[in-house]
Amino acid sequence: MRKLTVIFIVLIALLQYPLWLGKGSWSRVWQYSQQIEAHEKRNDYYRQRNETLRAEVRDLKQGQSAVEERARSELGMIKQDEVFYQVMQRKNPNPAAPASVITATPPKEAVMPASPVSEAPATASD
């Protein structure tokens, strides 16, 4: 009877080995599920970023307003007959003095053309 108990215990231990320590063990399944969750979060982030970039490309292809907005914000360009105001913050230890300075001189080289830019003719390589 004692031999039979030992044999059953050994058989149960052999059957339990893959569950706890083998290739498909609980710890590996948990690690893989954690990796899957991390990849899904990263994929969601990239999916949202790609959608934002697609919308931006669509806006740039369709209208002049998106291009104009980019030129204004990134390149500091202005239209003809516009006045550019730049508010500069100063670190001022004296609270009685004004904290900002306003300049109103438009830069000469940053004037956007009034008419839309015509497209260049297509070449054979396009």
Side-chain angles (χ1 to χ4, degrees):
M1 184 72 169
R2 188 161 176 102
K3 281 188 175 185
L4 190 59
T5 307
V6 171
I7 291 173
F8 282 136
I9 290 174
V10 170
L11 283 175
I12 290 174
L14 288 175
L15 290 174
Q16 291 287 320
Y17 174 79
L19 180 66
W20 297 105
L21 303 171
K23 194 172 186 178
S25 67
W26 287 104
S27 63
R28 286 195 184 182
V29 169
W30 182 79
Q31 288 174 352
Y32 291 147
S33 66
Q34 296 297 319
Q35 288 178 358
I36 288 170
E37 286 179 26
H39 286 293
E40 285 175 350
K41 286 180 184 178
R42 191 169 46 193
N43 287 346
D44 289 339
Y45 166 75
Y46 285 129
R47 201 172 288 119
Q48 288 175 349
R49 189 183 78 170
N50 287 344
E51 187 56 37
T52 303
L53 291 174
R54 276 190 205 102
E56 188 175 337
V57 167
R58 199 170 35 249
D59 287 344
L60 288 172
K61 282 183 178 180
Q62 287 178 355
Q64 194 71 10
S65 63
V67 175
E68 183 179 332
E69 180 184 337
R70 273 271 172 105
R72 286 174 174 269
S73 66
E74 292 180 8
L75 302 175
M77 297 181 111
I78 60 172
K79 288 184 179 179
Q80 243 174 346
D81 298 328
E82 279 187 338
V83 179
F84 176 73
Y85 290 96
Q86 182 177 10
V87 178
M88 300 174 64
Q89 298 293 330
R90 254 196 253 175
K91 292 182 181 178
N92 195 354
N94 185 2
S100 63
V101 174
I102 299 176
T103 59
T105 55
K108 298 287 183 195
E109 66 276 354
V111 176
M112 285 186 67
S115 63
V117 178
S118 63
E119 295 182 5
T123 60
S125 63
D126 290 337

